[in-house]
Amino acid sequence: MLALVDCNSFYASCEQIFRPDLRGRPVVVLSNNDGFVVARSKEAKALGIPDLEPFFKIERLLRQHNVAIFSSNYPLYGDISDRVMTTLQTFSPRIEVYSIDEMFLDLAGMQVDFPILGREIKDRVWKHVRMPVGVGIAPSKTLAKLANRAAKKIPKCNGVCVLDEPHKWEWLLKRTPVTGIWGIAKRLARRLEELNIYTAWDLATANAKVVRRASSINLERTIEELNGRPCLALEDVPPAKKQIYCTRGFGKRLDTLEPIQEAVALYASRAIDKLRAQNGLVTTLHVFLHTSPFEPGFYSASTVAQLPYPTDDVRLVASTARKAVAELYRPGHQFMKAGVGMIEVLDRRYHQFDMLEPGQSLKSDKLMAALDAIKKRHGKQAVYLAAQGVTQPWYMRQQFRSPEYTTSWRGLPVVI
């Protein structure tokens, strides 16, 4: 058996942890630069506030209904996620962190009452972190996802749904549209309609070989999973990313090159942090720059830059990205976004260096290790490239950002 624990409206719930006055009140969280609504509390959903709606279009509606508005606070969300996952690890020795707000737990061999265990998981996460969660328990990952969906949508479940017998998941499959299945989006659903498959039950009882010919082996595995036969194993260690991107919109339109280069240096630095976290090296960069597509004179350009050797040296990567964006820059435009992507990533452990080309120096390796140690001890902003700028007036807008309650001394709540 597997359990999927999924946080309810995660970003919005994080904002409510240190603001109990917001419980029961509609809350929305905005994307980078306060552009779109990316998270809504259940009260905000009940008001009919759409997801991914531009903030400027619905600001009046939000104010009218006294909705609490927050800018994205990723340091806070990341730390709360770590606390939730640490709490969940006390229930199983084998886990898979599926996303920032979801975790699979392996319950194999446990002689327990699963409904009671599900309620204990839910209560403990609330007690330790004040994060509301839904718990779905079933014999396969796909059924656990389905059970979690039911736990949140069916009031009688009260946040916990256990599908431990075939008649239970069959009842649920017959009442679930095919788009309610993990991994099946509207486009695939339209193709399945040609096979007279409209519900999850239709798919579960379909001929797997026929369905596979119309799609892929992944859908055949989904059918097996819907019938309680596990095909998807837990991933104890997340696979390394084959590409790493860091892109952001500017806090204001930029028409000169220097601030654009500062932003690109920052994005390169953040991408390097992710690269080093997975012990990788990069050989090729993708750099892009564009103006607003909704304004006259739209301009967009991108380029691929080859590094002289596989590297994880932030100085070399940032310098290459700055040169690349300088080639893309054209005066007379108001630029709104840039990005740096590492599109050829190697695993450092298995990379064989060229005998005739020494590649990255030992001095660079020691420097990067020292930077990592400083950031780990004193925070990510303790040391950075001068090329990133100091004042950074172009930095993304975060007009409604909450304090970093758990990751910064300055953000600690004050009791008066």
Side-chain angles (χ1 to χ4, degrees):
M1 296 291 283
L2 296 170
L4 174 65
V5 184
D6 184 12
C7 300
N8 300 343
S9 304
F10 180 63
Y11 288 177
S13 295
C14 285
E15 298 293 353
Q16 292 173 321
I17 290 175
F18 293 93
R19 290 283 307 275
D21 59 302
L22 296 179
R23 298 201 182 279
R25 180 179 164 189
V27 176
V28 299
V29 178
L30 306 177
S31 64
N32 291 335
N33 274 320
D34 297 337
F36 297 84
V37 173
V38 294
R40 303 159 295 162
S41 66
K42 63 179 181 180
E43 294 82 7
K45 294 175 183 177
L47 290 174
I49 296 171
D51 193 20
L52 300 179
E53 188 75 5
F55 174 57
F56 75 90
K57 286 187 177 181
I58 59 171
E59 183 175 5
R60 180 177 297 179
L61 175 65
L62 299 180
R63 305 290 187 189
Q64 179 183 345
H65 291 281
N66 194 30
V67 176
I69 304 166
F70 290 95
S71 302
S72 297
N73 188 343
Y74 295 116
L76 174 65
Y77 306 154
D79 186 69
I80 296 300
S81 175
D82 289 341
R83 292 167 187 252
V84 171
M85 303 309 174
T86 300
T87 302
L88 293 176
Q89 288 179 42
T90 62
F91 289 96
S92 173
R94 289 196 66 228
I95 56 94
E96 176 189 335
V97 178
Y98 180 67
S99 68
I100 191 173
D101 62 345
E102 293 179 271
M103 174 184 276
F104 284 102
L105 307 177
D106 187 356
L107 307 180
M110 293 188 183
Q111 302 300 319
V112 296
D113 186 310
F114 289 119
I116 293 177
L117 176 64
R119 288 192 291 271
E120 184 180 349
I121 291 172
K122 181 172 176 285
D123 293 342
R124 188 178 300 181
V125 175
W126 176 257
K127 180 180 179 181
H128 288 190
V129 193
R130 277 299 187 266
M131 174 62 63
V133 300
V135 182
I137 300 177
S140 69
K141 274 187 169 182
T142 305
L143 282 177
K145 273 276 193 178
L146 191 64
N148 189 279
R149 184 175 184 270
K152 293 184 176 182
K153 289 185 174 293
I154 302 176
K156 191 175 180 180
C157 290
N158 195 27
V160 177
C161 178
V162 178
L163 303 179
D164 53 354
E165 297 178 16
H167 71 90
K168 294 182 180 179
W169 65 69
E170 288 175 8
W171 182 91
L172 190 56
L173 289 172
K174 292 176 181 178
R175 291 160 176 79
T176 303
V178 72
T179 51
I181 302 174
W182 183 29
I184 298 184
K186 292 181 179 179
R187 184 176 179 181
L188 178 55
R190 287 194 293 268
R191 291 166 57 189
L192 292 176
E193 288 178 1
E194 299 174 2
L195 301 175
N196 293 320
I197 296 174
Y198 300 94
T199 68
W201 176 249
D202 292 337
L203 181 61
T205 55
N207 186 311
K209 300 302 179 183
V210 173
V211 172
R212 177 178 176 177
R213 285 198 294 269
S215 55
S216 69
I217 192 174
N218 292 330
L219 201 53
E220 184 178 0
R221 290 172 180 156
T222 297
I223 293 175
E224 292 295 311
E225 292 254 323
L226 290 175
N227 285 281
R229 296 184 286 271
C231 294
L232 305 173
L234 286 183
E235 295 181 352
D236 300 317
V237 179
K241 295 180 179 179
K242 296 181 180 180
Q243 295 187 345
I244 299 173
Y245 271 83
C246 183
T247 68
R248 296 286 188 276
F250 305 133
K252 62 179 183 178
R253 300 289 192 268
L254 299 179
D255 55 8
T256 56
L257 178 60
E258 183 178 353
I260 295 174
Q261 288 184 307
E262 290 180 356
V264 165
L266 172 62
Y267 304 158
S269 177
R270 290 185 173 176
I272 282 290
D273 287 342
K274 296 177 183 178
L275 179 75
R276 288 185 57 79
Q278 67 178 45
N279 198 24
L281 299 170
V282 60
T283 62
T284 310
L285 299 181
H286 173 227
V287 181
F288 70 84
L289 176 69
H290 66 77
T291 62
S292 172
F294 306 105
E295 297 177 359
F298 174 64
Y299 171 78
S300 176
S302 66
T303 187
V304 173
Q306 193 73 32
L307 294 160
Y309 47 78
T311 182
D312 62 358
D313 190 326
V314 66
R315 299 170 301 171
L316 175 58
V317 173
S319 174
T320 302
R322 282 169 56 88
K323 291 177 183 177
V325 82
E327 296 175 1
L328 302 178
Y329 172 78
R330 296 291 183 273
H333 291 286
Q334 298 281 329
F335 293 98
M336 66 163 291
K337 189 173 185 179
V340 176
M342 299 178 176
I343 57 176
E344 289 189 20
V345 174
L346 309 175
D347 190 323
R348 189 185 188 105
R349 295 172 297 173
Y350 308 120
H351 177 66
Q352 184 173 355
F353 290 92
D354 192 330
M355 244 177 95
L356 304 177
E357 172 55 59
Q360 184 162 296
S361 68
L362 181 60
K363 184 177 180 181
S364 291
D365 290 339
K366 290 182 177 180
L367 174 63
M368 292 307 301
L371 293 178
D372 287 346
I374 294 171
K375 290 180 179 180
K376 184 176 181 180
R377 181 171 182 178
H378 300 287
K380 291 184 178 180
Q381 301 304 317
V383 59
Y384 56 89
L385 295 175
Q388 296 173 205
V390 178
T391 57
Q392 299 181 340
W394 43 264
Y395 198 77
M396 63 181 179
R397 294 188 304 273
Q398 293 180 309
Q399 183 181 353
F400 311 103
R401 179 165 168 160
S402 57
E404 295 177 21
Y405 296 109
T406 62
T407 58
S408 171
W409 289 106
R410 292 172 295 181
L412 285 176
V414 177
V415 178
I416 300 177

